[in-house]
Amino acid sequence: MKVHRLVWKKNKQRSAFFLFMAPSIAGVLLFVLLPFLDVFRRSFATAVTGQFNGIENYKTIFANQAFQLAVKNTFRFTFVCIPILVVVGLIIALPLSKLKSAGLIKSLYLFPLAMPTATIVIVWKLFFYKQGFLNLFLTKIGEWSGLWGEIHKDYLGSSAAFWVLVFSYVWKNTGYTVVLWLAGILGISGEMLEAARVDGATEMQSFFRVVLPNLKGSLYTIVILSFLNSFKIYREAYLVAGSYPEQSIYLLQHLFNNWFVNLDFDKMAAAAVCVGGFLFAVIMVLQRMWDKNE
């Protein structure tokens, strides 16, 4: 009788779990998986007639110079931004973790996430254009020091636009990175740190031997979120420089937008499958690395 009761209770819990998850599973299936399967099908067909043409669409996009440029710039942007964001967030979070009034400061760091993208773009335009605040500031320093004259560099119309975009990404995403680092640091047992100090460990040794090894979970979460968010920087780049920005910030999202406008749905489908497959592969690799370190 007791065994039947336990089995009944377990089945009831399992049913409740599936009932609770059903709306989410249905939503993912209906709005994510099925549309992606349709995109995958279209990647092997022509845009107008829908006739099967094998891997011709994939050959076309890999031979396309705009696609090559967009892939190169997107990879470069991602692999430059993520290390900077991770390190900057940790550097800020370490001293904050020792403050008792860190709550208000955390709110201030999250403020950029709440700002509309259009507002951020206006600020960047005022700051980085030829007659922007940065050039005026540098001109004043040059006049005061006598080292240079007037500066009218167009940061958004030159290769410097890439670093403006990097700065924008790091500035906007540092907040949640700091919060995640803080959650990880504050979750470390004080007894472990105290034991390290008793054993004669210095502040630096405690950091590398105790703090960092216990922050692997936070690091994994931050890297995944930062990696995904690096593919969402398109709004800032698009609003600042339009559909055809300076070459260094021509990203995959620009390419998709331009192909959509030109109704090149076959190329869009093939490129979307490649990008989706790459994102999935990277996340799986990171997950495998995380599991090995557990």
Side-chain angles (χ1 to χ4, degrees):
M1 186 69 179
K2 188 175 182 180
V3 174
H4 288 295
R5 188 178 301 169
L6 289 174
V7 172
W8 177 81
K9 186 176 181 180
K10 191 173 182 179
N11 289 335
K12 186 177 180 181
Q13 290 175 343
R14 188 183 292 114
S15 300
F17 171 78
F18 284 114
L19 185 64
F20 179 78
M21 292 297 296
S24 297
I25 295 174
V28 171
L29 180 66
L30 183 63
F31 298 108
V32 178
L33 295 181
L34 290 180
F36 186 79
L37 289 176
D38 184 60
V39 170
F40 183 76
R41 179 187 64 81
R42 290 173 183 271
S43 70
F44 296 99
T46 58
V48 178
T49 63
Q51 183 179 357
F52 179 79
N53 66 346
I55 60 172
E56 290 301 316
N57 294 336
Y58 291 92
K59 290 181 179 179
T60 300
I61 64 168
F62 283 116
N64 187 289
Q65 291 184 351
F67 179 76
Q68 295 172 8
L69 176 64
V71 169
K72 184 187 75 172
N73 287 338
T74 303
F75 280 164
R76 182 190 177 203
F77 178 80
T78 299
F79 291 121
V80 167
C81 285
I82 291 180
I84 294 175
L85 185 63
V86 169
V87 173
V88 169
L90 181 58
I91 291 174
I92 295 173
L94 284 172
L96 283 182
S97 64
K98 299 176 182 178
L99 298 178
K100 293 183 178 180
S101 58
L104 176 61
I105 301 175
K106 285 193 295 184
S107 301
L108 293 176
Y109 275 110
L110 288 173
F111 179 71
L113 288 174
M115 292 184 65
T117 302
T119 304
I120 297 173
V121 168
I122 292 174
V123 173
W124 295 155
K125 287 184 176 181
L126 292 173
F127 200 77
F128 291 110
Y129 268 180
K130 284 184 178 180
Q131 289 76 33
F133 295 142
L134 180 58
N135 282 336
L136 291 176
F137 176 71
L138 294 175
T139 298
K140 291 295 183 182
I141 292 179
E143 292 175 354
W144 174 75
S145 63
L147 296 176
W148 57 76
E150 292 188 3
I151 295 179
H152 298 289
K153 183 176 178 61
D154 185 9
Y155 299 96
L156 297 173
S158 65
S159 58
F162 175 80
W163 297 105
V164 172
L165 202 61
V166 169
F167 174 79
S168 172
Y169 172 82
V170 173
W171 174 81
K172 185 173 183 179
N173 292 281
T174 296
Y176 78 81
T177 307
V178 171
V179 171
L180 291 174
W181 277 131
L182 276 174
I185 294 171
L186 296 176
I188 298 174
S189 172
E191 296 178 355
M192 295 175 61
L193 294 171
E194 188 62 32
R197 295 191 191 98
V198 171
D199 289 338
T202 63
E203 193 75 22
M204 191 65 68
Q205 289 173 331
S206 297
F207 173 73
F208 283 105
R209 299 293 181 86
V210 179
V211 177
L212 271 185
N214 285 280
L215 291 178
K216 290 179 181 178
S218 299
L219 176 62
Y220 174 76
T221 304
I222 290 169
V223 169
I224 290 294
L225 290 176
S226 301
F227 177 72
L228 295 177
N229 285 333
S230 68
F231 282 80
K232 300 177 183 179
I233 196 67
Y234 166 71
R235 291 174 298 177
E236 287 83 348
Y238 179 79
L239 290 175
V240 166
S243 301
Y244 297 94
E246 202 281 327
Q247 185 171 322
S248 65
I249 59 171
Y250 186 78
L251 306 175
L252 279 170
Q253 294 92 333
H254 290 98
L255 184 69
F256 284 138
N257 178 75
N258 296 333
W259 279 349
F260 179 79
V261 171
N262 295 327
L263 303 180
D264 293 326
F265 297 128
D266 48 356
K267 290 192 288 188
M268 277 186 65
V273 170
C274 292
V275 173
F278 173 76
L279 292 175
F280 180 77
V282 170
I283 292 174
M284 288 298 100
V285 168
L286 291 173
Q287 181 66 54
R288 178 66 64 86
M289 292 171 60
W290 165 248
D291 291 339
K292 285 183 178 179
N293 292 325
E294 275 292 298

